[in-house]
Amino acid sequence: MDYVSALVPPVVMAVFFIGVVRVIVKTQGGAAKAKEDAAVDAALARAEAAPQASAGDA
C-alpha cells in the first residue's frame, strides 16, 4: 500500500494542473476579449507616448 500513498500526490497535482489549464483555455476570448484587448492597446499607447528619460537626465 506504500505505492498508493506515493502515487496519490502526483496524481492529485496532475488533475489540478489539467483543471487550471482547461480554465485558462476556456477563459481566453469570449465576450470580454475585445474589452481586454482595448485596455492593453491603451496601456501600450500611453507607455509609448510617455516621455522617455535617458540615463544622462538623472
Side-chain angles (χ1 to χ4, degrees):
M1 291 306 282
D2 287 339
Y3 62 90
V4 173
S5 63
L7 289 176
V8 169
V11 169
V12 171
M13 288 184 356
V15 168
F16 279 119
F17 179 75
I18 290 169
V20 167
V21 169
R22 289 187 66 194
V23 168
I24 290 171
V25 169
K26 282 187 173 189
T27 57
Q28 298 300 310
K33 184 173 182 3
K35 185 171 66 171
E36 293 170 359
D37 288 346
V40 170
D41 290 340
L44 288 174
R46 281 194 306 270
E48 290 174 356
Q52 299 293 324
S54 64
D57 292 343

